[in-house]
Amino acid sequence: MGSFCKIHGYVYFVKLSKYLFIPFSGSLLLESKINPNTAYQKQQDTLIVWSEAENYDLALSFQEKAGCDEIWEKICQVQGKDPSVEVTQDLIESEEEHIEEMPETSPLIDLPTCELNKLEEIADLVTSVLSSPIRREKLALALENEGYIKKLLQLFQVCENLENTEGLHHLYEIIRGILFLNKATLFEVMFSDECIMDVVGCLEYDPSLAQPKRHREFLTKTAKFKEVIPITDSELRQKIHQTYRVQYIQDIILPTPSVFEENFLSTLTSFIFFNKVEIVSMLQEDEKFLSEVFAQLTDEATDDDKRCELVNFFKEFCAFSQTLQPQNRDAFFKTLAKLGILPALEIGMDDLQVRSAATDIFSYLVEFSPSMVREFVMQEAQQSDDDILLINVVIEQMICDTDPELGGAVQLMGLLRTLIDPENMLATANKTEKSEFLNFFYNHCMHVLTAPLLANTSEDKCEKDNYQTAQLLALILELLTFCVEHHTYHIKNYIMNKDLLRRVLVLMNSKHTFLALCALRFMRRIIGLKDEFYNRYITKGNLFEPVINALLDNGTRYNLLNSAVIELFEFIRVEDIKSLIAHIVENFYNALESIEYVQTFKGLKTKYEQEKDRQNQKLNSVPSILRSNRFRRDARALEEDEEMWFNEDEEEEGEAVVPPVEKSKQEDDFPDSYEKFMETKKAKESEDKENLPKRTSAGGFKFTFSHSASAANGANGANGKSVAAQTSPASSNGSSSKNATLTTAVTAAKVGELVQKLLPSLRAAEQRREAVPLVAWQAWR
């Protein structure tokens, strides 16, 4: 490990020369010569790293980017480099190119003789080459060609027998350094059955530890290899043992590599990876082995311990499969599906360990093919009770997670989201997976998912408000919010039938702010749909009340809850959701008008008043007859008014006249005389064509009624109506006598406009009364 100098704050040059001074708090922490050939590297805008000597690494960490940039510019100025490039020298690349050009006859590193008194020298040599790719390559070739590693491991046994602690510490440095050479040919030797335990032994004697670790004892005594089914292939057995031990070396024994060592073990990672690929491939090709495993797993006579081992075997098997290429991984899961992995998981679910392992396998299968899993669980529902459905077992695992941070529950929630996501559901000509699966899920599984939520929000209060329960309810709400966004009518029906939003909003009273925010987010997604069914449900249930109470209880605190609530109302204002605006203003504005640090609530009031003004203007623009009591909304009142209108008798005896229609009174007078007009028109249809209306100079039509009172009475006697229209011949100047003749002049366009307004009422009357002439409708349609 190199020396690190961490500098926080502004770092600057004191002396602009070939020496770098870094003063801090009045004292000099580092003086380093800027060598023209040293490779300096700037990383992440605030870090400068470089190496001095062969195994001496330095790093400067800056709190601010400005300080790092200034130092970097000075280094580049001394070396004559471009500050925009983050590496002042490209030594590594040039060295690697030099390795490729290195002739095969190039002299290798001379290794000291493998003796006890040379161990310190060997250790210094191995650690010194790590900073140079060329020297690492040369040392690796020397170690490979001379069989040096096996000789070193023999010295290890000698040192351990002699209890030579110093020699054992040197051997630790040597073996660790050889691992960092990152050569697969050396790993083949070190991880062979003959050598691997001695390699582990060398790595037990870390000089930084007061007492050596007992890794070999753990690997040989504590960790036991269990064969669920005897493995007859010796090569497969050896590969499994080797992979486990090398994984243990990487994960447990070797310390976490530093920033300068992160690439030193890349080949070790690849070694483990390809071992796992070989194991999975060999197991997958052994059909006899897999068939026997499935036979025992599905056999009800198999004892619980054995079944647990079998399920854990498949769990590791699936985990190893993640190393396969996509095509090979598909073939692997298809093989498991063909053998019946999903129905096999249902057996023995009462055991907690079996259930946990089965859930992990289920996760791998869902990630591979959600549709395959959906098809299985829908078929399963036809034969099993809801309680033992595999998907419900997964939901129960999520609900019953004992981890305080609910790590497993978070993973399973992601799994459920994948299953219920319509985006990855298939649709064919004969079958729609979305509708079928969602119907199944809401009928058989949703009650299991929402059970904790409903149980903890009974009687309008949070039953359990501890942290773990709050986290679980937050996860469930997150999933339900996803459903609101993606499931449309399925979740809508469920919310309204269960009055779910009201129960969710009980959580606005939780002492855990994150849970209150989850409840608010659920309501926000619902309102975001701008669905009037949801809006009516919210207004009729007065569901804004808990939200507004939470806002008022929060007081003047400017926090996330405050911002989230205001954003909700701001969305309603901006989107102009009229039904919600009216409900909020009419019911809650008195409580909200004092909030003046945002204009949201005043804006809602303004929107409300503007809408009322528009409605009033629209009402005022309607003719008075349409605003009269005859056009009330009540159905019975409407019928009674119309009956009175069509049945009323003329009070006057003798002549009933139709007065002239004045322009200013056309709309008001026309309905009262409409029936008389229609009766006259019907009678007129029998007149000679000479009496047809003549077009006036103004473009309208003048209708002239020339029936005597007696004729009118005769025609209308059955209905008790009398229309008398007397006319005299036209005078020479074309005018009519006011005393002798009564005329009605109405333009056809205006009459048509008014009749159109009356059509709804007239059509209703037509259905009830034969007195309304059909010819009238035909004339005006």
Side-chain angles (χ1 to χ4, degrees):
M1 298 286 292
S3 301
F4 289 82
C5 180
K6 271 205 181 288
I7 307 297
H8 296 283
Y10 189 73
V11 185
Y12 56 96
F13 279 103
V14 173
K15 182 178 181 181
L16 297 180
S17 65
K18 291 186 178 181
Y19 288 86
L20 180 62
F21 292 85
I22 296 92
F24 188 73
S25 301
S27 60
L28 181 65
L29 294 182
L30 175 68
E31 178 181 4
S32 177
K33 183 177 181 179
I34 303 176
N35 191 313
N37 297 321
T38 298
Y40 295 89
Q41 185 176 4
K42 185 169 72 167
Q43 299 177 355
Q44 302 172 358
D45 292 334
T46 58
L47 187 68
I48 299 176
V49 297
W50 73 96
S51 299
E52 293 187 1
E54 292 181 341
N55 192 32
Y56 187 59
D57 302 319
L58 294 174
L60 288 179
S61 177
F62 298 80
Q63 186 174 359
E64 297 179 358
K65 182 178 181 295
C68 183
D69 289 343
E70 183 176 351
I71 297 294
W72 181 250
E73 289 177 5
K74 298 301 181 182
I75 293 173
C76 294
Q77 179 183 345
V78 171
Q79 290 195 337
K81 301 294 180 180
D82 183 3
S84 64
V85 180
E86 295 187 345
V87 179
T88 61
Q89 304 290 336
D90 202 11
L91 297 179
I92 295 178
E93 182 179 349
S94 62
E95 286 186 354
E96 289 176 348
E97 291 175 356
H98 183 64
I99 290 173
E100 295 177 358
E101 299 171 358
M102 186 173 57
E104 294 182 1
T105 57
S106 176
L108 301 176
I109 292 178
D110 291 330
L111 293 170
T113 56
C114 198
E115 299 174 356
L116 287 177
N117 58 356
K118 297 289 186 178
L119 287 177
E120 182 176 3
E121 184 180 347
I122 297 170
D124 291 340
L125 173 64
V126 172
T127 54
S128 67
V129 304
L130 296 179
S131 60
S132 170
I134 294 177
R135 299 191 70 199
R136 288 204 308 267
E137 186 71 20
K138 288 183 177 182
L139 179 59
L141 290 173
L143 292 170
E144 181 182 347
N145 292 340
E146 299 184 16
Y148 207 77
I149 293 176
K150 291 185 179 180
K151 296 177 183 179
L152 287 170
L153 296 177
Q154 291 172 0
L155 283 180
F156 165 71
Q157 295 177 4
V158 173
C159 287
E160 196 166 41
N161 291 333
L162 296 175
E163 298 182 354
N164 184 347
T165 303
E166 184 179 358
L168 292 170
H169 287 168
H170 289 317
L171 281 165
Y172 170 86
E173 297 288 349
I174 293 168
I175 295 301
R176 179 176 174 275
I178 293 174
L179 289 173
F180 282 173
L181 293 178
N182 216 21
K183 296 293 291 185
T185 52
L186 299 181
F187 292 161
E188 292 290 347
V189 176
M190 299 174 74
F191 301 147
S192 64
D193 287 345
E194 180 184 357
C195 299
I196 190 167
M197 296 309 292
D198 286 335
V199 169
V200 173
C202 291
L203 296 174
E204 291 178 353
Y205 292 94
D206 186 347
S208 63
L209 300 176
Q211 294 293 330
K213 295 288 186 180
R214 297 184 178 275
H215 297 301
R216 285 171 294 174
E217 181 178 340
F218 175 84
L219 289 173
T220 56
K221 296 180 180 180
T222 305
K224 296 180 180 179
F225 177 64
K226 295 182 179 180
E227 295 181 80
V228 291
I229 301 293
I231 297 176
T232 57
D233 189 337
S234 59
E235 182 183 356
L236 177 59
R237 286 173 57 89
Q238 186 274 334
K239 191 67 67 176
I240 293 172
H241 284 299
Q242 184 188 62
T243 304
Y244 176 78
R245 290 165 180 169
V246 176
Q247 188 85 61
Y248 183 85
I249 290 172
Q250 184 186 47
D251 295 342
I252 305 300
I253 299 178
L254 293 176
T256 303
S258 68
V259 67
F260 304 103
E261 301 167 340
E262 58 185 6
N263 293 322
F264 283 177
L265 296 175
S266 60
T267 304
L268 181 62
T269 302
S270 298
F271 184 91
I272 297 171
F273 176 86
F274 288 113
N275 264 20
K276 291 180 177 180
V277 171
E278 286 187 55
I279 292 170
V280 173
S281 300
M282 293 169 74
L283 285 171
Q284 185 179 350
E285 293 169 3
D286 192 343
E287 294 183 3
K288 182 180 179 182
F289 175 81
L290 284 180
S291 298
E292 180 63 24
V293 173
F294 270 101
Q296 291 199 24
L297 184 59
T298 55
D299 187 353
E300 294 183 0
T302 303
D303 62 73
D304 293 342
D305 292 339
K306 183 68 173 180
R307 179 169 283 107
C308 185
E309 292 177 0
L310 290 166
V311 175
N312 280 317
F313 163 77
F314 275 113
K315 174 184 171 181
E316 291 191 37
F317 198 15
C318 292
F320 275 27
S321 72
Q322 303 306 298
T323 62
L324 298 174
Q325 294 296 321
Q327 183 177 357
N328 296 334
R329 188 163 60 248
D330 290 352
F332 166 79
F333 280 111
K334 286 177 181 176
T335 300
L336 292 187
K338 183 179 179 182
L339 290 169
I341 183 65
L342 281 167
L345 293 180
E346 296 181 292
I347 303 175
M349 279 294 190
D350 294 336
D351 183 87
L352 184 60
Q353 289 185 336
V354 172
R355 181 179 296 187
S356 177
T359 304
D360 288 338
I361 298 172
F362 188 66
S363 301
Y364 287 118
L365 295 171
V366 169
E367 290 174 7
F368 162 67
S369 176
S371 292
M372 179 185 74
V373 176
R374 292 189 198 106
E375 184 177 359
F376 168 77
V377 295
M378 284 190 289
Q379 292 175 353
E380 180 191 28
Q382 300 173 5
Q383 305 170 358
S384 306
D385 295 333
D386 289 356
D387 293 342
I388 60 175
L389 292 179
L390 188 57
I391 192 169
N392 283 343
V393 171
V394 172
I395 295 174
E396 289 171 6
Q397 281 285 97
M398 182 183 82
I399 293 172
C400 300
D401 188 6
T402 56
D403 180 6
E405 297 298 326
L406 296 184
V410 172
Q411 177 189 2
L412 294 177
M413 188 202 70
L415 178 69
L416 290 172
R417 175 179 291 188
T418 302
L419 281 176
I420 64 176
D421 187 356
E423 296 296 325
N424 60 47
M425 294 181 183
L426 303 177
T428 62
N430 300 325
K431 181 175 70 172
T432 303
E433 185 182 21
K434 176 180 177 181
S435 60
E436 290 185 2
F437 181 76
L438 291 182
N439 285 336
F440 156 80
F441 183 80
Y442 279 87
N443 289 331
H444 298 276
C445 307
M446 182 59 90
H447 68 280
V448 181
L449 178 65
T450 57
L453 178 63
L454 298 176
N456 284 280
T457 54
S458 60
E459 299 180 1
D460 293 335
K461 64 179 181 180
C462 302
E463 295 294 329
K464 295 180 181 178
D465 208 13
N466 58 67
Y467 179 74
Q468 189 167 357
T469 301
Q471 277 196 312
L472 174 62
L473 297 182
L475 285 178
I476 294 173
L477 279 176
E478 186 175 342
L479 203 58
L480 292 175
T481 303
F482 177 85
C483 294
V484 167
E485 293 178 305
H486 295 87
H487 291 175
T488 57
Y489 66 90
H490 287 93
I491 188 65
K492 184 191 300 182
N493 290 339
Y494 192 85
I495 289 173
M496 293 184 177
N497 289 336
K498 297 290 185 181
D499 198 11
L500 190 62
L501 181 56
R502 181 185 304 280
R503 302 294 287 272
V504 168
L505 291 176
V506 170
L507 301 175
M508 293 295 296
N509 297 321
S510 173
K511 65 182 179 182
H512 302 284
T513 305
F514 70 87
L515 182 56
L517 288 169
C518 286
L520 184 63
R521 188 183 303 116
F522 180 70
M523 185 178 190
R524 172 65 175 81
R525 290 293 181 275
I526 291 175
I527 291 175
L529 297 176
K530 296 186 285 187
D531 186 322
E532 279 304 312
F533 283 101
Y534 276 131
N535 293 345
R536 284 196 294 272
Y537 165 64
I538 291 171
T539 55
K540 288 183 179 179
N542 197 31
L543 298 183
F544 276 109
E545 184 176 1
V547 176
I548 291 173
N549 286 341
L551 176 66
L552 298 177
D553 291 343
N554 190 65
T556 59
R557 286 174 291 180
Y558 180 56
N559 52 21
L560 191 56
L561 180 63
N562 174 274
S563 298
V565 174
I566 289 176
E567 191 277 335
L568 172 68
F569 290 106
E570 182 67 13
F571 175 82
I572 295 171
R573 185 192 69 82
V574 171
E575 297 297 324
D576 196 16
I577 306 176
K578 295 180 174 55
S579 58
L580 298 185
I581 292 174
H583 175 74
I584 294 166
V585 173
E586 290 172 1
N587 293 278
F588 302 106
Y589 187 72
N590 289 339
L592 297 172
E593 64 180 340
S594 62
I595 300 178
E596 298 181 344
Y597 53 85
V598 290
Q599 297 302 307
T600 297
F601 302 108
K602 288 186 177 179
L604 288 172
K605 182 70 176 299
T606 302
K607 290 268 187 184
Y608 174 75
E609 292 173 346
Q610 289 173 348
E611 180 62 20
K612 285 190 68 176
D613 291 342
R614 278 195 296 269
Q615 295 296 332
N616 290 335
Q617 291 174 7
K618 188 180 297 183
L619 188 62
N620 291 334
S621 67
V622 176
S624 60
I625 182 62
L626 299 182
R627 290 184 278 115
S628 70
N629 290 334
R630 293 174 183 169
F631 294 90
R632 287 175 294 184
R633 290 186 178 182
D634 182 75
R636 279 186 310 182
L638 177 64
E639 292 178 1
E640 292 171 359
D641 278 343
E642 288 178 342
E643 291 290 336
M644 291 175 63
W645 187 46
F646 283 103
N647 289 325
E648 63 183 354
D649 295 328
E650 295 291 338
E651 294 180 358
E652 297 182 10
E653 302 241 347
E655 295 183 350
V657 298
V658 179
V661 178
E662 299 178 6
K663 288 185 178 181
S664 61
K665 298 180 65 180
Q666 284 177 356
E667 292 180 5
D668 291 334
D669 293 343
F670 178 76
D672 294 334
S673 61
Y674 176 70
E675 185 174 352
K676 301 173 184 178
F677 169 77
M678 295 305 294
E679 292 291 342
T680 307
K681 184 177 183 301
K682 182 178 179 181
K684 184 169 176 54
E685 288 177 352
S686 61
E687 288 188 351
D688 189 75
K689 292 183 179 180
E690 293 180 359
N691 293 327
L692 289 175
K694 306 296 190 294
R695 185 180 296 273
T696 64
S697 59
F701 287 89
K702 178 181 290 185
F703 293 88
T704 305
F705 305 100
S706 56
H707 299 279
S708 66
S710 60
N713 290 332
N716 299 291
N719 294 330
K721 302 279 185 181
S722 63
V723 180
Q726 297 177 351
T727 62
S728 63
S731 62
S732 58
N733 59 3
S735 62
S736 299
S737 172
K738 293 183 180 180
N739 297 327
T741 305
L742 294 175
T743 62
T744 301
V746 183
T747 63
K750 194 65 177 179
V751 171
E753 178 183 351
L754 294 174
V755 170
Q756 287 294 332
K757 294 179 180 179
L758 291 171
L759 278 179
S761 297
L762 291 174
R763 282 174 177 159
E766 178 188 23
Q767 295 174 2
R768 297 190 307 273
R769 295 179 54 88
E770 296 178 355
V772 180
L774 182 61
V775 66
W777 293 116
Q778 294 172 341
W780 293 107
R781 278 178 179 170

